[in-house]
Amino acid sequence: MSKAKVIRETFEKNEGILRLIPVFVPRRFSKAGRRLRLHPDDYYALGTKRGSIKERWFSSVIPAMNGELAPEDEGMSYVAVSDKIEDKILFKDFVDELGAEIIGEELKQKYGTWPMYSKFFDYEEPLFHHLHLDFDAAALVGRLGKPEAYYYPPQLNNYAGNFPHTYFGFDPDVTKEEVRARLIDYEKRDIRITELSRAYRIELGTGWYTPPGVVHAPGSYLTYEPQWNSDVNSVYENITAGEVYPYDFLVENCPEDKKYDIDYILSLMDWEKNIDPNYRKHYFRPPVVCKHSDEKHTEKWVVYANDYIGAKELTVMPGQTVVVKDEAAYGCIIVQGHGKFGVYDAEAAIMLRFGQMSADEYFVSEQAARKGVTITNESKWEPLVMLKHFGPNHPDMPKTVPGV
């Protein structure tokens, strides 16, 4: 049977909902937080040269930008078309074949593909102070800009790591010349650039939106991170938690003739956003409960008020069945409980082996989302909880932050 026919049969048989296979991604820097529900023996499943596994990616049609040792499909999602993992087909192939049937006409016309992905990132130490390029700067190296958002799910955060605080931007009194002076010494000494920044203690069950060009050093809680289809950054901190980062981390996404141009490197920042005196007011995201919530289920917007990405947390109470409708396609990951999700038996993962299939991750086509997904919580005691990630086209996504 041709791949195209398998794709269409899988899509139709499962009523427009796809089950995805877990995608774990190693990183060669920092330390794993070990909260990904991966077996303890498998954090170095790809070998010590690749580093430990620190991320799990969801609904991804793009590869991770992860060095010369990474395979071409690292970070890309696969669809389970049967119970045999060898039958898997790239999620990107489903999107390419089905087009508007799966992601909707608006996203197909505007972007040509599914435009975002999400992930869990899981580090025991804080990450380095870094920024993601805006669309103009990213285009100079053939890539896309990267807006992103964070949500901190309690279900995966019984351990806070070593520094559950996140730095954003710089203190409003800091000057660009002070930042320049630190970056000039990147290869000479510990520049301690977060001395110029400000940190916020992470609050579980809440989140933040981080625009491109804002320097940030995420704290050590496991984080759910919906983001645009990009993996580009510039690392402004050269030593973090005792680990030294080479100059290439600062300039790997700069044109060749700009890699020692300090003015160009500084221009990657959106300076006014970095020194915004009301940063928390503008970019902190408390959850917003949806009006259709009732005694059977609660749905909250946890990523919203931006032009690129959205996310919800859905909780179905024990023993309840609900039909949940959305006006846009979405990916989702179940973080607690078990039951039915459309035609599938669904359950949160407790401990996965690397390469194992699961029943916790799905992609819902626009037509299935609009029709409504029937979800049953088969537990007598625990809620069924899932996180749902959207592109920019959900009409109900709040456009503003409460109180702002």
Side-chain angles (χ1 to χ4, degrees), residues 5 7 46 71 90 122 138 144 147 149 154 175-176 186 219 226 253 268 270 273 276 286 316 321 360 376-377 389 391:
K5 188 171 183 181
I7 286 173
L46 293 165
L90 275 172
D122 177 33
L144 296 173
T175 67
K176 196 178 292 187
Y186 200 94
N253 291 297
L268 299 176
D270 185 324
K273 287 185 173 68
D276 183 353
V316 180
T321 295
D360 63 346
T376 299
N377 181 350
H389 27 278

Side-chain angles (χ1 to χ4, degrees), residues 94-372:
F94 272 76
V95 174
D96 290 346
E97 173 66 28
L98 297 169
E101 293 179 68
I102 185 169
I103 63 173
E105 191 64 37
E106 181 180 350
L107 295 183
K108 176 63 176 176
Q109 289 295 324
K110 192 168 184 180
Y111 305 107
T113 190
W114 176 243
M116 63 84 65
Y117 67 106
S118 192
K119 66 183 174 186
F120 289 152
F121 71 77
D122 177 33
Y123 293 79
E124 186 175 34
E125 306 289 353
L127 276 183
F128 35 59
H129 211 35
H130 68 287
L131 61 78
H132 299 294
L133 279 61
D134 66 21
F135 287 86
D136 290 339
L140 296 178
V141 290
R143 299 185 180 277
L144 296 173
K146 187 185 176 185
E148 63 185 24
Y150 315 132
Y151 177 70
Y152 309 104
Q155 292 84 359
L156 292 113
N157 277 304
N158 61 323
Y159 169 58
N162 289 338
F163 192 81
H165 309 74
T166 293
Y167 289 97
F168 290 109
F170 297 105
D171 186 87
D173 293 329
V174 167
T175 67
K176 196 178 292 187
E177 287 304 313
E178 290 178 275
V179 178
R180 175 198 294 269
R182 302 285 177 126
L183 293 183
I184 286 174
D185 286 348
Y186 200 94
E187 296 182 280
K188 298 177 182 178
R189 64 181 179 91
D190 182 352
I191 62 174
R192 300 195 300 271
I193 200 163
T194 52
E195 291 176 345
L196 306 180
S197 185
R198 51 194 163 176
Y200 300 86
R201 183 168 181 149
I202 293 171
E203 183 180 350
L204 294 183
T206 71
W208 296 80
Y209 172 64
T210 302
V214 170
V215 189
H216 55 289
S220 56
Y221 271 123
L222 180 142
T223 304
Y224 171 64
E225 183 185 13
Q227 58 203 268
W228 206 241
N229 271 352
S230 181
D231 195 21
V232 292
N233 59 36
S234 175
V235 176
Y236 273 42
E237 186 173 17
N238 64 343
I239 301 176
T240 307
E243 185 169 3
V244 179
Y245 296 99
Y247 186 78
D248 183 61
F249 273 51
L250 176 65
V251 298
E252 64 182 335
N253 291 297
C254 295
E256 285 298 323
D257 63 341
K258 300 294 186 182
K259 291 192 172 185
Y260 286 91
D261 184 339
I262 191 65
D263 291 321
Y264 178 80
I265 295 167
L266 288 167
S267 77
L268 299 176
M269 286 188 292
D270 185 324
W271 183 249
E272 294 307 315
K273 287 185 173 68
N274 276 283
I275 59 170
D276 183 353
N278 297 307
Y279 192 90
R280 186 181 188 278
K281 179 180 179 180
H282 292 146
Y283 299 110
F284 178 67
R285 295 292 184 266
V288 176
V289 177
C290 299
K291 293 180 180 179
H292 57 258
S293 299
D294 58 24
E295 70 281 358
K296 292 184 175 182
H297 77 300
T298 301
E299 196 161 41
K300 303 174 183 178
W301 282 101
V302 296
V303 172
Y304 56 91
N306 70 84
D307 295 330
Y308 302 99
I309 45 181
K312 294 181 183 181
E313 179 190 74
L314 169 65
T315 301
V316 180
M317 302 308 173
Q320 299 298 326
T321 295
V322 295
V323 178
V324 178
K325 296 182 179 181
D326 286 282
E327 290 298 309
Y330 61 91
C332 63
I333 175 70
I334 297 171
V335 295
Q336 184 178 0
H338 71 280
K340 297 283 289 187
F341 186 78
V343 302
Y344 296 97
D345 294 321
E347 62 191 12
I350 302 301
M351 185 182 293
L352 296 172
R353 297 306 304 244
F354 183 83
Q356 179 184 340
M357 300 174 82
S358 70
D360 63 346
E361 185 186 356
Y362 301 90
F363 188 87
V364 180
S365 66
E366 184 176 272
Q367 56 183 285
R370 289 180 171 180
K371 181 180 178 182

